Amino acid sequence: ALHIRLAQLRVAEGEDKAGAKASIEAALALVPEHPTALGVLAQLASPDEDPRAFADAKLREADSAKDEDVKIAALMAAGDVLQSRVGDSAAAAAAYDRVLQMRPYHAEATWALAGLSEKSGDPEAAQRLLEHKLEDESLTPPEKARILTQLAALSRAAGVTPAAERRLLEALGTVPDHIPAIVALADFYADAERFSDLEAFLKEILDGTMLAAAPAALVADLHRRLAGAQEKLGRDDDAY
């Protein structure tokens, strides 16, 4: 306890990180899994200066913590740094997986692990994770729309176009102004050369006040897409 307190004082009063780390190491030499010491060690490690050391400290903190919230926060911090700074996808996935073992419907761990699965060339694993997340009855409408849009992207990448369209329509049925789903469905109709469907969809979206709070550049782009669809349908005056 005295070594830990000395470390805290060294950081608070003089920004003596090297001395603080030495004090924490002395504490851990006496009690290797002391949760407070591991927590301070993680605070002293910088994800910018030494991301691997930071991640290792967070993993040690998660191993020793008794409180589940503390465990999950430490594992998420470790996973994020391992993925974005260290480039160790396997270790990051292991950290996120540990979170989901404790809380199967943890949103951020689900997104992160699904993203890693997709990047690793395993879209089926990513799809299974997201479909499992859909079973969570506590999902808010925006969270559900986000998952459905991601599932649509995975289905489209796999060439299962009916499922992709169904997922996007379901997402917009959940949150009618969900911008990622709007753009994705417009892309879907354009790529499939279903210009009548694209025109009808964009007219419905652009009429009224649904996109009143949307960025002006997005609304302008949707009008451009509508004009493109009308041109393809041979109605140049409408497109103009």
Side-chain angles (χ1 to χ4, degrees):
L2 292 174
H3 282 300
I4 294 169
R5 184 60 184 141
L6 178 57
Q8 292 169 329
L9 289 170
R10 281 176 165 163
V11 173
E13 295 186 358
E15 289 296 323
D16 181 9
K17 283 193 174 183
K21 285 182 180 179
S23 296
I24 287 299
E25 292 298 343
L28 291 172
L30 295 169
V31 184
E33 300 304 323
H34 194 291
T36 306
L38 290 171
V40 174
L41 182 63
Q43 292 170 11
L44 292 171
S46 167
D48 296 317
E49 295 173 5
D50 191 343
R52 174 66 75 175
F54 175 85
D56 288 344
K58 283 295 182 183
L59 290 173
R60 288 177 67 183
E61 181 183 358
D63 288 338
S64 65
K66 303 299 182 187
D67 184 87
E68 191 173 271
D69 288 335
V70 174
K71 276 182 178 289
I72 288 174
L75 287 168
M76 289 301 299
D80 292 346
V81 169
L82 286 166
Q83 177 185 187
S84 62
R85 302 294 181 88
V86 180
D88 190 342
S89 297
Y96 296 135
D97 190 56
R98 287 176 62 186
V99 173
L100 291 176
Q101 288 174 14
M102 287 184 281
R103 291 189 186 167
Y105 298 123
H106 191 282
E108 294 308 317
T110 299
W111 312 137
L113 196 53
L116 285 173
S117 297
E118 187 178 1
K119 286 179 184 177
S120 69
D122 192 356
E124 291 184 4
Q127 185 168 336
R128 285 194 298 271
L129 275 165
L130 293 172
E131 287 176 343
H132 180 62
K133 177 66 179 173
L134 273 181
E135 298 171 7
D136 182 3
E137 296 180 356
S138 68
L139 280 177
T140 65
E143 287 174 335
K144 185 175 181 180
R146 181 182 175 186
I147 293 175
L148 289 165
T149 304
Q150 288 181 323
L151 282 168
L154 291 171
S155 295
R156 191 175 177 193
V160 189
T161 53
E165 182 179 10
R166 177 172 55 82
R167 293 292 193 185
L168 290 171
L169 291 172
E170 192 176 349
L172 291 172
T174 304
V175 180
D177 61 349
H178 187 63
I179 290 173
I182 290 172
V183 173
L185 189 55
D187 284 340
F188 178 85
Y189 286 145
D191 290 346
E193 298 185 354
R194 291 168 54 181
F195 299 116
S196 294
D197 289 334
L198 177 58
E199 180 189 35
F201 170 63
L202 289 176
K203 277 186 171 181
E204 180 183 358
I205 291 296
L206 291 167
D207 285 346
T209 60
M210 181 183 295
L211 296 180
L218 169 72
V219 178
D221 185 62
L222 293 178
H223 279 290
R224 179 190 63 77
R225 290 166 183 256
L226 175 57
Q230 291 168 331
E231 183 180 13
K232 292 290 186 181
L233 292 168
R235 297 206 306 276
D236 290 357
D237 288 344
D238 291 337
Y240 180 81

